[in-house]
Amino acid sequence: MRYLIVFVGLLLCPSLTWAAAGQVESASGDVWAIRGQQTIALASGAMVEPADVIKTGKTGQVRLVMSDDSVVFLGPRSRMRIDRYDTDQHGLVAGTFYLMWGKVRFLVTKLKRASDSFSVSTQTANIGVRGTEFGVIVLPPDENGKQSPYTDVMLFKGAIVGRGLKGGTVLVKPGQFVHFTVGQVPQERSITPKDVERLGISPLAPGLIEPKPMHSPPKPVNPEQGQPNVPGSMGQPGGHQPSAPEGQHPPHPPHPPHPPHPAHPAKP
């Protein structure tokens, strides 16, 4: 009787109920969940659970909607474990992923409490999240089973804290790319279009924010006009002509400038 009461109490307590971590919204190619001793093919509508290892084939991709509405996109030839995904009536309590290799892109809902957590780990980095959009790349093993010991992270929106296992901590800002490897300080730079192309996962990730292209340096300003000193401005070819000489009439705005007329036109 005592065990029955405990069992019923667990079912009635929202913070302790058992639930799926998320659901497959869309999938293409070969996508599986390794659950204990089973390997389950995943298709649209399938549920994923904590401790599942999500695996994709060479052309496989999957879009997961987690129980708090966060979204996870796993690209081709990837392998990722959902270590933990706990929610309560307020939203996410703790979400923890381990990316063994491959490409993954996260769109994380904003965490509501300071105690809530969302993190992604790899063999060379730990990434802490408060609500953001970012991608992670870890190269898969080569033909000999050897894996490159680095992690590449790119942040599109929000903020994340990246910690190298032996190489320091960095606060990543939107538009930044960070390279983590063993025993070195994380290397930071701006995201490039090639980085986004390398991450891929665009067919299953519509509407995600892409990094804006770098703007060209501002052009010099003409101090007389307060406008960029470009063709068409004062003193440049194709621009407005200087004031007409004395005795001639300058053009009137807003009409385009006309060639100056002689002060005394010749008589026929």
Side-chain angles (χ1 to χ4, degrees):
M1 183 65 179
R2 181 180 62 183
Y3 297 111
L4 178 60
I5 293 173
V6 172
F7 177 74
V8 172
L10 289 173
L11 291 178
L12 293 177
C13 179
S15 62
L16 294 175
T17 54
W18 289 277
Q23 185 175 20
V24 176
E25 184 175 77
S26 58
S28 64
D30 294 326
V31 182
W32 305 275
I34 302 173
R35 186 174 299 159
Q37 301 300 316
Q38 294 181 303
T39 299
I40 305 166
L42 294 180
S44 180
M47 308 303 290
V48 293
E49 302 177 2
D52 280 356
V53 175
I54 312 300
K55 180 182 177 182
T56 59
K58 291 183 178 179
T59 60
Q61 293 189 87
V62 61
R63 172 181 171 128
L64 305 175
V65 178
M66 309 308 292
S67 55
D68 67 325
D69 292 329
S70 293
V71 182
V72 180
F73 308 89
L74 195 63
R77 202 183 173 197
S78 299
R79 192 180 180 104
M80 182 184 70
R81 185 175 64 238
I82 306 172
D83 283 337
R84 181 182 179 187
Y85 218 85
D86 299 337
T87 58
D88 63 13
Q89 66 270 29
H90 300 292
L92 180 66
V93 175
T96 306
F97 296 82
Y98 183 80
L99 179 63
M100 302 168 190
W101 61 76
K103 304 174 182 181
V104 62
R105 192 165 185 170
F106 295 89
L107 180 58
V108 183
T109 58
K110 187 175 181 179
L111 304 184
K112 299 179 180 179
R113 297 161 296 196
S115 58
D116 298 339
S117 64
F118 189 107
S119 63
V120 182
S121 297
T122 71
Q123 61 173 345
T124 51
N126 294 313
I127 303 161
V129 178
R130 291 302 303 173
T132 190
E133 184 178 330
F134 66 103
V136 185
I137 299 176
V138 175
L139 284 184
D142 60 19
E143 297 178 353
N144 299 318
K146 185 177 180 180
Q147 191 172 0
S148 298
Y150 71 76
T151 299
D152 289 334
V153 177
M154 56 192 82
L155 179 63
F156 301 101
K157 181 181 179 181
I160 58 178
V161 177
R163 299 181 179 88
L165 297 188
K166 296 182 180 179
T169 300
V170 59
L171 175 62
V172 188
K173 298 179 181 179
Q176 282 190 324
F177 176 103
V178 185
H179 178 82
F180 296 90
T181 190
V182 176
Q184 295 184 10
V185 175
Q187 303 170 26
E188 305 172 57
R189 60 172 174 78
S190 297
I191 296 174
T192 68
K194 288 186 178 180
D195 296 327
V196 180
E197 182 180 357
R198 180 170 161 239
L199 180 62
I201 321 177
S202 56
L204 294 181
L208 293 187
I209 296 174
E210 304 292 357
K212 295 181 180 180
M214 298 293 291
H215 295 288
S216 57
K219 297 177 181 178
V221 173
N222 186 307
E224 297 181 4
Q225 297 294 320
Q227 298 294 332
N229 196 7
V230 296
S233 299
M234 181 70 74
Q236 294 294 319
H240 298 293
Q241 301 298 321
S243 300
E246 184 178 357
Q248 297 181 358
H249 300 285
H252 298 282
H255 301 290
H258 299 283
H261 298 287
H264 302 287
K267 294 182 180 181

